[in-house]
Amino acid sequence: MSTVVLPQVPARLGRFVLRMFRPHIYATYGLLWVLALEGSAVTLTGTAWRPSAATWVRVVSVVLALLFLRMLDEQKDLEYDRVHHPDRPLVTGAITVAELRGAMAALTLLVAGLNAALSVTAVLLSLAALGYGLFLAALERLSPAVRDRQLLNLAVTYPVQVLLGIYVYGSLAAAGTVAADWRGALLLALCACVFLHFEFARKTAWEAASGARLYSADLGPRRSASVTAGLAAGAVGCQLVLFAPAGPPGLLPCLAVALPLWGTRRFLTRRHGGWPLITAMGFVVMTYLALVVRAVLLP
């Protein structure tokens, strides 16, 4: 067994992050998600919104939490990756479990420290998401059904994303920026539909290799496609309820529905291969970016 010299650890972690947590994807997603959620929550109160120092604390906290969860996933999936992804860093030894756990501990302290500047509520809510991730890791070790059944796994793992959304909204409420009401729940449902549309799209295909973790393997391609399209429709429905009273300018984010419409048509007519991921990724980016633009432009 090779010994890793302590000064080498930051470089090894850096290479892990660049490969398994591509900043231009994950950091962009975290940034747009937080700005869209916060901006929409504030403007729905009738108050003009501009990013503040607290906004950037939330953005950094969410991105760091996503990195924490990615490091955790790498450990949870080790046995699966030994068979299906033998080039992954943890499998090849490019990073070790001890190094990942040390980085996760540092991330936890950093997230807690950042949110201490906001409120005790913000600290507790941010740590709740990380704690739920650790609970899931233990649950998957104890329950083969949770680990191996895709839909059950999604049902128990997705709430960690909900908890991150609650952290953003809850920290706003704790600061007195918004008053928690039904619109907050609908905003979180909107974000859930946007994310889950992409999640189902990336695991929906007409063909499934042996052992592949696809929702379409359990539901069948057409039903999985129906769920994928339905989630995009759910996101648009949430926007109509929330933003229609503001008039046509408030409905700018709804235009992003053109992408899942095209993706659905292409998937169902081709009848081979997977869902066109560019449409699902574009739906996430365009929806959140349009929500940010709406929040900035509308009084």
Side-chain angles (χ1 to χ4, degrees):
M1 181 181 296
S2 61
T3 302
V4 178
V5 181
L6 189 59
Q8 297 176 349
V9 173
R12 287 162 62 86
L13 286 170
R15 288 191 291 270
F16 171 85
V17 169
L18 290 175
R19 179 177 175 190
M20 304 307 299
F21 188 81
R22 290 167 289 178
H24 64 287
I25 294 177
Y26 287 91
T28 300
Y29 168 72
L31 171 69
L32 291 177
W33 179 21
V34 174
L35 294 182
L37 178 53
E38 179 181 312
S40 297
V42 173
T43 55
L44 283 171
T45 67
T47 306
W49 173 79
R50 291 295 182 273
S52 64
T55 304
W56 302 117
V57 168
R58 296 182 185 102
V59 169
V60 173
S61 296
V62 166
V63 172
L64 292 179
L66 293 174
L67 176 56
F68 177 99
L69 295 170
R70 185 66 198 86
M71 290 178 169
L72 187 59
D73 283 345
E74 191 73 6
Q75 297 168 66
K76 288 193 303 179
D77 296 340
L78 179 57
E79 293 307 315
Y80 179 85
D81 288 341
R82 290 189 196 279
V83 177
H84 298 280
H85 304 288
D87 61 336
R88 290 283 177 87
L90 197 56
V91 177
T92 63
I95 198 75
T96 67
V97 170
E99 289 166 341
L100 289 178
R101 290 179 178 175
M104 289 165 62
L107 289 172
T108 302
L109 292 175
L110 183 54
V111 168
L114 285 170
N115 285 279
L118 300 184
S119 66
V120 174
T121 299
V123 174
L124 294 177
L125 290 176
S126 62
L127 294 182
L130 305 186
Y132 188 77
L134 294 173
F135 163 74
L136 288 175
L139 182 61
E140 289 189 23
R141 284 196 300 269
L142 295 173
S143 173
V146 171
R147 184 175 61 248
D148 299 329
R149 292 171 56 185
Q150 278 295 100
L151 293 173
L152 177 60
N153 184 266
L154 178 65
V156 298
T157 58
Y158 180 69
V160 73
Q161 291 266 342
V162 176
L163 287 172
L164 286 175
I166 290 174
Y167 152 70
V168 174
Y169 192 84
S171 64
L172 286 168
T177 307
V178 302
D181 58 18
W182 65 272
R183 292 174 297 183
L186 203 56
L187 274 174
L188 294 175
L190 164 59
C191 293
C193 287
V194 170
F195 175 83
L196 289 173
H197 169 75
F198 173 75
E199 170 66 13
F200 265 83
R202 75 187 186 93
K203 294 183 179 181
T204 293
W206 287 99
E207 307 88 10
S210 178
R213 294 177 174 179
L214 299 177
Y215 300 120
S216 53
D218 294 334
L219 296 173
R222 288 183 176 81
R223 279 193 292 178
S224 188
S226 296
V227 173
T228 305
L231 288 163
V236 174
C238 290
Q239 292 175 64
L240 290 173
V241 174
L242 288 167
F243 307 131
L251 297 178
L252 173 66
C254 293
L255 297 178
V257 75
L259 287 169
L261 285 174
W262 184 78
T264 303
R265 180 180 181 279
R266 184 171 175 81
F267 179 79
L268 293 177
T269 56
R270 287 177 63 193
R271 297 192 178 185
H272 68 84
W275 191 281
L277 272 186
I278 189 65
T279 66
M281 293 178 65
F283 181 66
V284 174
V285 172
M286 286 188 63
T287 298
Y288 284 157
L289 186 58
L291 286 172
V292 174
V293 171
R294 175 194 173 278
V296 170
L297 294 183
L298 291 183

